Amino acid sequence: ITYGEKQLTLVLTSGHPVAHCPLCLSSSQRIHSRYSRKVADLPWADKRVLMHLTVRRFFCDLADCKRNVFCERLHPAIAAYARKTTRLAHYLQNLALQLGGERTALLLELLNIHLVSADTLLNLSRKVAIATASAPKIVGIDEWAIRKGQTYATILVDLQTHRPIDLLPDAKLETVESWFKEHPGIAIVSRDRDTTFAEAARKGAPSAIQIADWWHLLQNLGDALKRMLEMNAGGLHATAVAMTDIEKQEKEKNREQALQKQMVVQEEPVGKSQVLHKQVKELYSEGWSMRKIAKHLQISRQTVKRYSLLEKVPKKRYSQASTRRLLTNEQIVYLAKRWAEGDVNAKQLWKELKQEGYQGAPASIYRAVAYFPPRASAPIDEEMLKKAIPPVSARSAMWLMMKGKEKLSDRKQQLLAFLLTHHEQARMAYPIAQQFIDMVKNRKAAELDTWLIQAKESGIAQLRQFAGGVQRDYQAVHAALSMEWSNGQVEGQINRLKLIKRQGYGRAKLELLKKRVLYRLTKQAA
């Protein structure tokens, strides 16, 4: 045994008088020659362990054996031709499956394990067999992008154990159907609204109950509302105009309140720093040492020294990053009015707004006036100025209709009220949408039939289309409103899968990625 600064070296020689041929298993005592091997093992006491083995070759005495000379086999922990012990190889495999090649190689340096390259670690990971999961009963299925917009694969998750159980190379009907046929006994399948997975589950697991995912149901409703709002942009513009008038009134009110506050002389509020500064000055004037003051007030000595030298604590400077720099509707109306007058340019308009407190850059003014019509000598009226106000975006209006009023701020509640006043279809669709959201969140499956009738009779084409899709997938939607299972766990596993894929630095092919995603099953196999 040789002790080094970082390494422990063991020089070993096999002394067993008899060796057995690995091919014919006959015993032999005749030694042919000797050679040296180096085998690394797990570290001991923060030292690398390296074994220098003197291994013997023997003659095989069986005449019919194809081997004339063979090498003696050592302990099962040292495999033939291996440069690492079995337990070290398993240790490295598990680390590589969890962390990947590059990160594991960096970690091994800290653990003082014999240097192993990232390529070697990946090769060790590829040798691990993937275990087959026990027969799942409740399965979640979804697709994920190998290359977004080009190539998609499929992930399957056991919703009871919260573990992924398989990755399929594509999202085709035949592939998914054959997987279901290879795994009989599945009772429940949770999926999104994709018809491919629905058809594959119907053919591959005909006795399984299909459940439509809650989140995708709400997403489909939101898409229908957005299409409806986009079809009537006039209502969105009228909403923005009404909100602009309210903002103008609030701004005037805030100006009046600010003027009143300026007229009233108020004492400056005393903060914690001012109190500490006063205490430090008093104690220092009484002859206390800085160390004693710091211990008494439980502050650092540097703070005590700084406060003792200052006559007054300076005010804190707050960052201006949080100030609003987007143009308000009122400011856009002002720009349109000044632009139509024809005697100013964009730079001058920016200077005028800056005097009013605008914090944005001139570029925002240039972008705004680029959409204004050419200057005209015709008189300016209110209708022309209102046309310059941008409408509320359909996406923003859709989220106002999807969220409950109790979750909206006062301003957004006001905006929602204007939307329901000026947008006729939004006013008709809002109670129907809220009823569906309440059904999904509170599992009110008994109200589904009534809701379908209301949606179809609402007179809104987009809601009728959405209701028609729900009707075609009635059994899965009804199960989603009456059972606890959903695809939320699957979406979480897809996020984990994407993280592992990015950590592969472009080398995470499907087979290796599958072993890392199914790490727990792979660990059992190893």
Side-chain angles (χ1 to χ4, degrees), residues 359-403:
Q359 299 287 337
S364 57
I365 308 299
Y366 283 101
R367 286 193 295 268
V369 300
Y371 295 97
F372 289 168
R375 292 187 176 97
S377 58
I380 304 170
D381 57 1
E382 290 295 328
E383 292 299 324
M384 186 184 70
L385 294 177
K386 287 181 179 181
K387 290 180 181 180
I389 300 175
V392 178
S393 68
R395 183 179 178 83
S396 301
M398 179 268 290
W399 281 115
L400 290 175
M401 297 180 65
M402 292 288 290
K403 288 186 177 181

Side-chain angles (χ1 to χ4, degrees), residues 111-125:
L111 297 178
N112 205 16
I113 295 178
H114 198 278
L115 294 177
V116 183
S117 68
D119 293 336
T120 302
L121 291 166
L122 292 179
N123 290 334
L124 287 172
S125 301

